[in-house]
Amino acid sequence: MSKENIAEATKLVAEAKDALGIDASPSDVWALLQTKLSPSIPFEIHQLCYATVYEGIDDVKPAWIPTADIVANTNITKMMQQKSITTYQEFYDWSVNDRNNFWMTSMKAIGIQWQDEPKAAFKGDPAHITYFPGGRLNISDSCFGKRPLEDPAIVYSVESNARSLRNMSFGRLDALSNRIANGLFSKLKLQVGDAVGICMPMTPESIAIYLGVVKAGLVVVSVADSFSPEEIATRCRLSNAKAIFTQDVIYRGAKFLSLFGRVLKADAMIQAEKERSRNKSDFNDSKETKSDSGLDDDDICMRIIVLPGMLHANSYPEAVVDETNSTWSDKDAQGRDVLLHESVVAIMRENHDASWYDLLDGCSDTFERVPRDSMDACNILFSSGTTGEPKAIVWSHSTPIKCAIDGFYHQDIHIGDRVAWPTNIGWMMGPWLLFQLINGATIGLFNGITSTEGFCEFVDEAEISMLGVVPSLVKSWQARNATANCDWSRIKKFSSTGEASDPGTYLWLMSRVPGYAPVMEYCGGTEIGGSFLSSTLVQPNVPSMFSTPVLGSKILMMNAESEVILESAFETRSDGSGSGELVIVPPSIGLSTTLLNRDHYNVYFEGMPCGPAGEVLRKHGDEVEFVRSSSHTSKKNVSTPYFRALGRCDDTMNIGGIKVGSVEIERVCNLVDNIQETAAIAVSGPHGGPSKLVVYVVLENGTEEGSEGCDEDSLRNAMQNYIKAHLNPLFGISDVAIVQSLPRTASNKVMRRLLRDAYISSALKRSKM
Ligand SMILES: Nc1ncnc2c1ncn2[C@@H]1O[C@H](COP(=O)(O)OP(=O)(O)OP(=O)(O)O)[C@@H](O)[C@H]1O
């Protein structure tokens, strides 16, 4: 750290303290400093100010403190006023103690449109629940009608020219999705309830397709565009998809990646598997299975509808794009349709696969939405598979209400907000983002590599006001200083999901906005339809910590003996901190009720103890720590617990007789110089015995393995010193392995179980030698 930076930080802190007087708490001092620290001031100075202000405090260190104005304008405050509730704590308690009232009031506040409005939010026992009983709706209806038709529903760009924006209005989105819905019935002859895959990047068309499928009363099958043919096949087979939308190619980093080819292969795999099982059953019993038409249902392969990947790319010769905002055009400069990539045209199956244009040709812009029961499926999604086989989770027409209510309170989304979250329809945050249309938001979409300067420029140009992130993305932006030429002053808040984040990196993220912007950590899961643990704009924000359970979600925390250590969000059974497995006390709108590939009851309820008042409990499998802030917070800020995610319970280890989450160890190891990231695993010997701590290390870009301080022994010593100083001297590291990268799921989560397997098998080999 340079002498100048140290001097500047010392001066800034001293000035703030002088201005506030000696009674000021550290968070008061920070509240003033956050207004003085701009992104153009070296980050080192931000870090030093933060460390100085909170010197000697190790628990809750707010890096963003809301002003009275911000608090007053939140959706939470407005709802509290409507309900005559004065504190956030009371508001949360109301949301879980009077759940029916909370969900019905909130559902009305976000303007859900019903054909038959339900009278209650819940019916039945919590493990076999019906949401909004008697309600009939098509959830797509609620995505429209909040904004004038000419307002932008989507603002988007492609990587070849991030600063050149286009938008699709609500009117155009409605009309295009209507054409698609018409095409599904008239051209593809699909029926209400049929499943339709979407395997393509998040583009305006993929949003329109999703809405078109839902409007028609069909079910979207979410398939991430990064998947291999096997993975695509598994998802389409499990959900019995009758058709799938995809692109010819994906353009990324100036390269074309074939997508249609992968989907075609996936379909061939499904057919081959059907053929095999048919032969087997023919062999076992020779019963006739053909239908009246002579065709077995199984003979029908998926119809593939192919969109041109270059639809909006102005770097592509001849492809020009509509700049007028008001009409939909996918014509090139000569007025022709943008062509499908020639490699794809050659392999499309005649009479079976259709181009996007074939589907839309002659279809009307108007369509009468198909009303569905509140529990009818609208989307089949798949979990990431960090703990095993991905689960096929059914979202009903009620689930998006949870996405929108979470967004309304926790991301504080208002009509006219511009919301971006790099993701894909294949992951739950894709549909989550789409359903922020219910809150009247405009969705920001970037078709390209999002770890780049290009994406950061898009955020600036598109005037994004709520930016969603995943931790690995933020690490890449920080490493390449990707925001250097961007003005992110319109961002009012960030939100982060997917896996535990790193507080150092998130302080950097918050500091990219003049005056700082908070990060709403958002932890939940595909089967939750959103989150159970998050933050709000009415509470001080702490990097990588959650300030509250999500409104309407009741949680408990249990220790290994199934004893409750945190009963309600604000009443802990110990004064300081504690950690345990988080369990959910249902019901709550959004919690899944059906899995296609497992027994839902067995997965979430079987074997669970009862809650303290005899409540049914639902398992989730996350390890969470709660921490009460020590006396540093100002008297205004109630000392309620904050929460820290410690990772999946499966990744929790017992080292030296003490339970610790892998994420906790990694957080400390990541502080060592030259380390980009780490993964901590516990391994027992072949005959059991105490677990040994093994740390996998990825070195920072450009750091040579074996260079000074970067061999396994030196790294182990350095990490051990940090663990000793910041965590617990009893956590001794047994082994260190330097690797190029960590194995991740397609949604970017570290697969610690693969590392464990690999380590055990290599240790086994070594022991045999
Ligand atoms: N903000 C966050 N901080 C920490 N962890 C998070 C956060 N958001 C999500 N997670 C982790 O991701 C999990 C949810 O992810 P997802 O629904 O994709 O299922 P998964 O648990 O990764 O996969 P599977 O259930 O198939 O094993 C959470 O339970 C939590 O462990």
Side-chain angles (χ1 to χ4, degrees), residues 160 203 215 222 267 331 357 364 405 414 460 521 539 610 699:
S160 53
T203 59
K215 278 179 178 185
S222 291
D267 192 40
K331 306 288 179 197
Y357 306 109
S364 158
I405 290 179
H414 294 250
D460 168 358
E521 282 287 347
Q539 297 166 304
C610 287
L699 294 173

Side-chain angles (χ1 to χ4, degrees), residues 382-391 393 427-428 496-501 521-527 532-533 546 598 604 620-622 645-648 745 747 749:
F382 297 81
S383 64
S384 313
T386 31
T387 54
E389 265 272 285
K391 303 179 194 93
I393 298 160
W427 306 115
M428 68 153 277
S496 175
T497 194
E499 59 179 341
S501 60
E521 282 287 347
Y522 191 66
C523 181
T526 318
E527 72 279 22
F532 45 69
L533 208 53
F546 304 79
R598 314 263 179 94
Y604 297 113
H620 182 76
D622 277 352
L646 301 182
R648 306 293 292 177
T745 62
S747 65
K749 292 173 197 222

Side-chain angles (χ1 to χ4, degrees), residues 63 125 140 143 186 196 218 245 251 336 372 384 440 566 641 676:
D125 85 83
S140 67
C143 296
S186 64
V196 178
L218 278 66
F245 284 82
Y251 183 68
R336 297 171 309 205
R372 304 291 283 150
S384 313
L566 179 138
Q676 184 178 317

